[in-house]
Amino acid sequence: MANQRRARCGHLWTASLALCVLLVVKVHTRPANMSALKDKNQDSKEDNEILPPDHLNGVKMEMDGHLNKDFHQEVFLGKDMEEFEEDSEPRRNRKKLIDIFTKVDFNKDGSVSAKEMQRWIMQKTEEHFQEAVRENKNSFRAVDPDGDGHVTWDEYRVKFLASKGFNEKEVAEKIKNNEELKVDEETQEVLESLKDRWFQADNPPADQLLNEEEFLSFLHPEHSRGMLKYMVKEIVRDLDQDGDKRLTLSEFISLPMGTVENQQAQDIDDDWVRERKKEFEDVIDANRDGIVTMEELEEYMDPMNEYNALNEARQMIAVADENQNRNLELEEILKYSEYFTGSKLMDYARNVHEEF
Ligand SMILES: [Ca+2]
Ligand SMILES: [Ca+2]
Ligand SMILES: [Ca+2]
Ligand SMILES: [Ca+2]
């Protein structure tokens, strides 16, 4: 994932330089949590299939507490995201973007209002949900090979350890006989965090088995209110320094250890901090009292929150609204194609070039 992102950065323009820098920082300065595990498994899709992803499409914050930099593109493109990620022909991208514009413009008056964009964002968020449900079917099949529709923690644990290179039969045998498993500290830590999450995902009445639906909320906490709360709790726990279960600005922007080494790193950190400060003050701390509570963070992260969608819609419009009519016209969206889709259109590339 990180490599892909960095590769994609290569195509972007100066305006996105800061973004690139941030993404690179992201790779190097991830707080502990699930990151160790993820980095190891990056090359193997099969392993990742049964593990909760760190990044959730259409959710504003990642599981490791980082801001989701691709959020606005994700909620603008929905399941068509990947089409734009490829270096496909600008003419084709232009046509696709025009198609999208026509659909977002619900009342067909040639311009997109905040309400229309909000409606669109909700629709695209739903697409990401459906995508996760589809993927979950495969993941569930992988952990429930006998197909009885239920998976125990022990069964999952065996699959997980097998994906980490342990001998599946041996591990299964040991677990059955209640023998001690020799796993390294890091794997043990991950196991414990997975176990907590596993039992959270087990809906009452708890039977210690996960069915497909519960497994979905294990992998994708954004699909259930209870799991969303759990995810918020985990994030706060990772960032909270004085243990009052709320976040001050300084807790929210404090850097993970060992990042500042030279001026270049310092500048990168400054951007990272600036971005988070802005998000904290302008968006997450809804009542502006300087403290982010779990409730505020939960509201912020809830992908089905219509108020957030409207806010996002307004922000998206503001970025490209050159004629200042609080609506988006087709020319505006084409001109800011890179912002909306992550890919530039040829004609406008030339214009941008002339400006420099
Ligand atoms: Ca319209
Ligand atoms: Ca605190
Ligand atoms: Ca607050
Ligand atoms: Ca406009």
PDB file of all heavy atoms in Angstrom, residues 246-247 280 284-293 296, ligand 3:
ATOM      1  N   ARG A 246      -9.498  11.607  26.851  1.00  0.00           N
ATOM      2  CA  ARG A 246      -9.872  12.674  25.930  1.00  0.00           C
ATOM      3  C   ARG A 246      -8.578  13.202  25.332  1.00  0.00           C
ATOM      4  O   ARG A 246      -7.500  12.999  25.895  1.00  0.00           O
ATOM      5  CB  ARG A 246     -10.588  13.806  26.670  1.00  0.00           C
ATOM      6  CG  ARG A 246     -11.666  13.276  27.593  1.00  0.00           C
ATOM      7  CD  ARG A 246     -12.397  14.371  28.333  1.00  0.00           C
ATOM      8  NE  ARG A 246     -11.518  15.314  29.004  1.00  0.00           N
ATOM      9  CZ  ARG A 246     -11.937  16.482  29.478  1.00  0.00           C
ATOM     10  NH1 ARG A 246     -13.187  16.854  29.320  1.00  0.00           N
ATOM     11  NH2 ARG A 246     -11.105  17.302  30.078  1.00  0.00           N
ATOM     12  N   LEU A 247      -8.697  13.878  24.193  1.00  0.00           N
ATOM     13  CA  LEU A 247      -7.477  14.346  23.546  1.00  0.00           C
ATOM     14  C   LEU A 247      -7.389  15.860  23.529  1.00  0.00           C
ATOM     15  O   LEU A 247      -8.315  16.541  23.091  1.00  0.00           O
ATOM     16  CB  LEU A 247      -7.397  13.817  22.114  1.00  0.00           C
ATOM     17  CG  LEU A 247      -7.404  12.291  21.951  1.00  0.00           C
ATOM     18  CD1 LEU A 247      -7.428  11.916  20.471  1.00  0.00           C
ATOM     19  CD2 LEU A 247      -6.206  11.656  22.651  1.00  0.00           C
ATOM     20  N   PHE A 280      -8.096  19.112  13.758  1.00  0.00           N
ATOM     21  CA  PHE A 280      -8.531  19.082  15.158  1.00  0.00           C
ATOM     22  C   PHE A 280      -9.398  20.306  15.458  1.00  0.00           C
ATOM     23  O   PHE A 280     -10.501  20.193  15.980  1.00  0.00           O
ATOM     24  CB  PHE A 280      -7.296  19.066  16.079  1.00  0.00           C
ATOM     25  CG  PHE A 280      -7.593  18.969  17.551  1.00  0.00           C
ATOM     26  CD1 PHE A 280      -7.482  17.757  18.208  1.00  0.00           C
ATOM     27  CD2 PHE A 280      -7.950  20.095  18.287  1.00  0.00           C
ATOM     28  CE1 PHE A 280      -7.734  17.656  19.575  1.00  0.00           C
ATOM     29  CE2 PHE A 280      -8.205  20.010  19.656  1.00  0.00           C
ATOM     30  CZ  PHE A 280      -8.098  18.793  20.302  1.00  0.00           C
ATOM     31  N   ILE A 284     -12.807  18.208  14.026  1.00  0.00           N
ATOM     32  CA  ILE A 284     -13.072  17.138  15.002  1.00  0.00           C
ATOM     33  C   ILE A 284     -13.638  17.678  16.315  1.00  0.00           C
ATOM     34  O   ILE A 284     -14.603  17.148  16.845  1.00  0.00           O
ATOM     35  CB  ILE A 284     -11.801  16.298  15.288  1.00  0.00           C
ATOM     36  CG1 ILE A 284     -11.096  15.927  13.970  1.00  0.00           C
ATOM     37  CG2 ILE A 284     -12.175  15.034  16.057  1.00  0.00           C
ATOM     38  CD1 ILE A 284      -9.802  15.173  14.151  1.00  0.00           C
ATOM     39  N   ASP A 285     -13.032  18.751  16.811  1.00  0.00           N
ATOM     40  CA  ASP A 285     -13.511  19.347  18.060  1.00  0.00           C
ATOM     41  C   ASP A 285     -14.765  20.170  17.771  1.00  0.00           C
ATOM     42  O   ASP A 285     -14.736  21.381  17.678  1.00  0.00           O
ATOM     43  CB  ASP A 285     -12.395  20.236  18.640  1.00  0.00           C
ATOM     44  CG  ASP A 285     -12.819  20.914  19.939  1.00  0.00           C
ATOM     45  OD1 ASP A 285     -13.833  20.481  20.531  1.00  0.00           O
ATOM     46  OD2 ASP A 285     -12.133  21.868  20.344  1.00  0.00           O
ATOM     47  N   ALA A 286     -15.888  19.467  17.682  1.00  0.00           N
ATOM     48  CA  ALA A 286     -17.117  20.081  17.170  1.00  0.00           C
ATOM     49  C   ALA A 286     -17.594  21.250  18.033  1.00  0.00           C
ATOM     50  O   ALA A 286     -18.073  22.247  17.511  1.00  0.00           O
ATOM     51  CB  ALA A 286     -18.217  19.028  17.046  1.00  0.00           C
ATOM     52  N   ASN A 287     -17.474  21.152  19.343  1.00  0.00           N
ATOM     53  CA  ASN A 287     -17.954  22.264  20.191  1.00  0.00           C
ATOM     54  C   ASN A 287     -16.841  23.263  20.515  1.00  0.00           C
ATOM     55  O   ASN A 287     -17.024  24.173  21.315  1.00  0.00           O
ATOM     56  CB  ASN A 287     -18.609  21.719  21.469  1.00  0.00           C
ATOM     57  CG  ASN A 287     -17.588  21.095  22.420  1.00  0.00           C
ATOM     58  OD1 ASN A 287     -16.409  20.941  22.079  1.00  0.00           O
ATOM     59  ND2 ASN A 287     -18.030  20.735  23.609  1.00  0.00           N
ATOM     60  N   ARG A 288     -15.707  23.067  19.905  1.00  0.00           N
ATOM     61  CA  ARG A 288     -14.596  24.028  20.008  1.00  0.00           C
ATOM     62  C   ARG A 288     -14.192  24.385  21.437  1.00  0.00           C
ATOM     63  O   ARG A 288     -13.933  25.551  21.735  1.00  0.00           O
ATOM     64  CB  ARG A 288     -14.933  25.313  19.250  1.00  0.00           C
ATOM     65  CG  ARG A 288     -15.541  25.050  17.902  1.00  0.00           C
ATOM     66  CD  ARG A 288     -14.895  25.866  16.839  1.00  0.00           C
ATOM     67  NE  ARG A 288     -15.149  25.225  15.545  1.00  0.00           N
ATOM     68  CZ  ARG A 288     -14.770  25.708  14.395  1.00  0.00           C
ATOM     69  NH1 ARG A 288     -14.101  26.822  14.358  1.00  0.00           N
ATOM     70  NH2 ARG A 288     -15.012  25.066  13.271  1.00  0.00           N
ATOM     71  N   ASP A 289     -14.111  23.379  22.276  1.00  0.00           N
ATOM     72  CA  ASP A 289     -13.656  23.676  23.629  1.00  0.00           C
ATOM     73  C   ASP A 289     -12.198  23.242  23.830  1.00  0.00           C
ATOM     74  O   ASP A 289     -11.683  23.203  24.945  1.00  0.00           O
ATOM     75  CB  ASP A 289     -14.555  23.022  24.683  1.00  0.00           C
ATOM     76  CG  ASP A 289     -14.502  21.498  24.633  1.00  0.00           C
ATOM     77  OD1 ASP A 289     -13.887  20.947  23.672  1.00  0.00           O
ATOM     78  OD2 ASP A 289     -15.046  20.852  25.535  1.00  0.00           O
ATOM     79  N   GLY A 290     -11.549  22.890  22.736  1.00  0.00           N
ATOM     80  CA  GLY A 290     -10.133  22.554  22.825  1.00  0.00           C
ATOM     81  C   GLY A 290      -9.854  21.118  23.223  1.00  0.00           C
ATOM     82  O   GLY A 290      -8.707  20.715  23.372  1.00  0.00           O
ATOM     83  N   ILE A 291     -10.927  20.344  23.413  1.00  0.00           N
ATOM     84  CA  ILE A 291     -10.787  18.941  23.817  1.00  0.00           C
ATOM     85  C   ILE A 291     -11.577  18.072  22.841  1.00  0.00           C
ATOM     86  O   ILE A 291     -12.706  18.403  22.499  1.00  0.00           O
ATOM     87  CB  ILE A 291     -11.412  18.723  25.221  1.00  0.00           C
ATOM     88  CG1 ILE A 291     -10.728  19.578  26.276  1.00  0.00           C
ATOM     89  CG2 ILE A 291     -11.412  17.250  25.603  1.00  0.00           C
ATOM     90  CD1 ILE A 291      -9.418  19.042  26.771  1.00  0.00           C
ATOM     91  N   VAL A 292     -10.967  16.994  22.390  1.00  0.00           N
ATOM     92  CA  VAL A 292     -11.727  16.039  21.582  1.00  0.00           C
ATOM     93  C   VAL A 292     -12.136  14.862  22.460  1.00  0.00           C
ATOM     94  O   VAL A 292     -11.296  14.160  23.018  1.00  0.00           O
ATOM     95  CB  VAL A 292     -10.914  15.564  20.359  1.00  0.00           C
ATOM     96  CG1 VAL A 292     -11.515  14.297  19.764  1.00  0.00           C
ATOM     97  CG2 VAL A 292     -10.868  16.663  19.291  1.00  0.00           C
ATOM     98  N   THR A 293     -13.441  14.708  22.611  1.00  0.00           N
ATOM     99  CA  THR A 293     -13.955  13.586  23.401  1.00  0.00           C
ATOM    100  C   THR A 293     -14.156  12.380  22.485  1.00  0.00           C
ATOM    101  O   THR A 293     -14.142  12.526  21.261  1.00  0.00           O
ATOM    102  CB  THR A 293     -15.323  13.927  24.026  1.00  0.00           C
ATOM    103  OG1 THR A 293     -16.235  14.193  22.956  1.00  0.00           O
ATOM    104  CG2 THR A 293     -15.222  15.134  24.938  1.00  0.00           C
ATOM    105  N   GLU A 296     -17.008  13.022  20.173  1.00  0.00           N
ATOM    106  CA  GLU A 296     -16.685  13.875  19.023  1.00  0.00           C
ATOM    107  C   GLU A 296     -15.912  13.092  17.959  1.00  0.00           C
ATOM    108  O   GLU A 296     -16.176  13.215  16.763  1.00  0.00           O
ATOM    109  CB  GLU A 296     -15.883  15.106  19.479  1.00  0.00           C
ATOM    110  CG  GLU A 296     -16.746  16.183  20.117  1.00  0.00           C
ATOM    111  CD  GLU A 296     -15.943  17.322  20.734  1.00  0.00           C
ATOM    112  OE1 GLU A 296     -14.825  17.088  21.257  1.00  0.00           O
ATOM    113  OE2 GLU A 296     -16.434  18.460  20.714  1.00  0.00           O
TER     114      GLU A 296
HETATM  115 CA    CA B   3     -14.748  19.227  22.209  1.00  0.00          CA
END
